[in-house]
Amino acid sequence: MEKNFEALIASYIENKVGISEHFLSDELANNLKQNLYSLNEKNLLKEAGTGNSEAIAYDSAVRSDSIYWLDKKHNNVFENEFFKHIEDFIRYLNQSCYTGITGYEFHYSLYEKGDFYLKHLDQFQNNSRRKFSMISYLNSNWQTADGGELLIHQDKTNQKISPTQGKTVFFKSDELLHEVLPTQTTRMSITGWLKCD
């Protein structure tokens, strides 16, 4: 477990974008994916917006995915396992990097064929609590032709990251513009933020 935590942190320090190929085990990723399928079949996912509860907007020309917020109140065994993994990572991150993270929030993201999310930052203008963005992917057998890559914009180069199962990406929420390129097939992830009070 710590090996995957360290891979995420070390690559972040080197390139401002942390990547761990196996942050989530296949078993946990598969269970979360099945949970997402079940939620979608029950029509529990909602149109994703931009902004926060104080100022939220819905525009499918900017963002076209659907989301479902994870919550310990659901008492879902797989969501709780994911939360424990995140809490273990936060402890490791705070102890090794003194980041002072005190909380987190995560949601499922479901992109159907043709869905995308245009270039944006993850931190709100009216709320700076989000410190780090984290995306964990749930897509087995992903092929290049499937599209849906995360494109991160940096000064010298753009980085295109394939959304393959188990992979987690980690970066500062207020620093890097990024987008989700149009997907050619169903694309699933858990997206969220590590926060400070």
Side-chain angles (χ1 to χ4, degrees):
M1 182 171 63
E2 288 190 1
K3 179 180 178 182
N4 292 322
F5 293 171
E6 191 57 40
L8 203 56
I9 294 168
S11 52
Y12 164 76
I13 291 170
E14 180 179 349
N15 190 42
K16 295 185 178 180
V17 181
I19 299 177
S20 173
E21 295 290 341
H22 305 289
F23 186 84
L24 298 184
S25 68
D26 273 340
E27 181 179 10
L28 178 55
N30 284 329
N31 287 331
L32 290 166
K33 178 166 48 183
Q34 291 305 314
N35 192 44
L36 177 49
Y37 278 135
S38 176
L39 292 166
N40 191 43
E41 287 172 0
K42 295 173 184 174
N43 295 314
L44 293 175
L45 275 72
K46 305 297 182 185
E47 177 186 2
T50 56
N52 60 10
S53 57
E54 297 173 30
I56 192 165
Y58 297 93
D59 186 348
S60 61
V62 173
R63 178 181 189 181
S64 53
D65 60 315
S66 300
I67 66 170
Y68 179 89
W69 288 96
L70 280 67
D71 194 317
K72 285 189 175 179
K73 293 177 183 176
H74 299 158
N75 200 27
N76 178 277
V77 62
F78 307 124
E79 290 181 23
N80 287 345
E81 185 180 349
F82 174 80
F83 286 143
K84 172 146 189 335
H85 197 52
I86 291 297
E87 288 162 3
D88 288 342
F89 174 68
I90 289 172
R91 273 192 295 274
Y92 189 86
L93 180 68
N94 283 342
Q95 289 169 2
S96 59
C97 300
Y98 308 104
T99 49
I101 299 300
T102 56
Y104 56 81
E105 58 183 3
F106 285 89
H107 63 66
Y108 287 114
S109 287
L110 177 67
Y111 289 75
E112 302 286 7
K113 183 176 180 180
D115 285 347
F116 59 90
Y117 191 170
L118 297 183
K119 186 161 58 173
H120 63 284
L121 284 175
D122 276 352
Q123 194 173 88
F124 305 125
Q125 291 182 351
N126 62 352
N127 187 327
S128 61
R129 289 190 63 209
R130 290 179 175 179
K131 300 304 178 185
F132 294 97
S133 301
M134 290 186 74
I135 308 129
S136 295
Y137 295 111
L138 309 175
N139 309 293
S140 55
N141 304 313
W142 196 264
Q143 305 296 318
T144 302
D146 293 334
E149 295 94 343
L150 176 68
L151 182 61
I152 296 182
H153 298 265
Q154 296 210 52
D155 291 338
K156 296 181 181 179
T157 184
N158 293 335
Q159 185 175 2
K160 192 183 287 188
I161 301 170
S162 59
T164 53
Q165 180 161 298
K167 180 187 292 180
T168 290
V169 182
F170 173 79
F171 54 91
K172 284 195 76 175
S173 299
D174 65 347
E175 188 170 77
L176 297 180
L177 286 164
H178 56 286
E179 61 186 296
V180 177
L181 299 178
T183 185
Q184 301 305 312
T185 188
T186 301
R187 175 194 190 272
M188 294 166 287
S189 66
I190 295 180
T191 298
W193 300 274
L194 307 187
K195 305 169 72 173
C196 290
D197 292 330

